[in-house]
């Protein structure tokens, strides 16, 4: 079962103190203590496009085409996470991503029109 939580986006960065973000994040993590934490991030700069997955002792770094949009990098890294959970036989994973557009797209795919 996949659950996607995007509630943290209601805490606007320019209106919320950093310790409030951290407290909310830790509260979410605490609710899922028996889950494996997996962190993702995508990045685009003048030097290129890349993404990373960090899970326990595993770090996966992706280098994508320079003309690749950041959305694609963020989506590709989620695909890598799914492969990682399958390969490592991780039954319960909590994936932390800062890509609201990717998470919203995944969430919408579960609600066909």
């Amino acid at each position: 079962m996949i659950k996607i939580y995007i509630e943290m986006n209601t805490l606007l960065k320019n209106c919320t103190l950093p310790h409030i973000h951290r407290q909310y994040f830790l509260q979410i993590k605490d609710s899922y203590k028996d889950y494996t934490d997996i962190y993702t991030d995508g990045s685009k700069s003048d030097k290129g496009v890349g993404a990373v997955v960090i899970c326990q002792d595993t770090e996966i770094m992706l280098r994508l085409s320079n003309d690749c949009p950041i959305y694609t990098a963020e989506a590709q890294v989620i695909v890598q996470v799914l492969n990682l959970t399958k390969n490592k036989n991780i039954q319960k994973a909590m994936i932390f991503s800062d890509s609201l557009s990717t998470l919203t797209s995944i969430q919408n795919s579960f609600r066909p029109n």
Side-chain angles (χ1 to χ4, degrees):
M1 175 191 300
I2 296 176
K3 296 179 187 176
I4 298 174
Y5 298 98
I6 57 174
E7 289 79 15
M8 278 193 75
N9 77 319
T10 61
L11 301 175
L12 302 176
K13 284 184 180 181
N14 59 347
C15 300
T16 308
L17 295 171
H19 76 275
I20 301 295
H21 275 127
R22 181 167 173 72
Q23 181 180 3
Y24 191 71
F25 169 75
L26 292 173
Q27 199 173 28
I28 292 169
K29 275 187 64 158
D30 196 46
S31 299
Y32 294 90
K33 286 182 182 177
D34 57 336
Y35 284 60
T36 300
D37 292 345
I38 304 175
Y39 300 89
T40 71
D41 198 18
S43 178
K44 182 171 184 163
S45 72
D46 295 339
K47 296 180 182 178
V49 180
V52 66
V53 175
I54 298 174
C55 174
Q56 297 170 327
D57 60 346
T58 302
E59 185 175 302
I60 301 169
M61 294 174 29
L62 305 174
R63 174 86 164 92
L64 291 92
S65 170
N66 288 349
D67 60 348
C68 180
I70 188 65
Y71 173 84
T72 301
E74 296 280 7
Q76 281 289 32
V77 81
I78 297 292
V79 170
Q80 289 296 316
V81 166
L82 297 176
N83 290 333
L84 177 71
T85 58
K86 181 180 176 185
N87 293 339
K88 287 191 167 243
N89 197 27
I90 298 171
Q91 298 299 310
K92 297 195 247 177
M94 184 69 152
I95 304 167
F96 296 97
S97 169
D98 66 349
S99 178
L100 181 60
S101 59
T102 303
L103 296 174
T104 302
S105 292
I106 294 168
Q107 192 174 42
N108 288 339
S109 72
F110 296 133
R111 295 187 203 145
N113 293 332

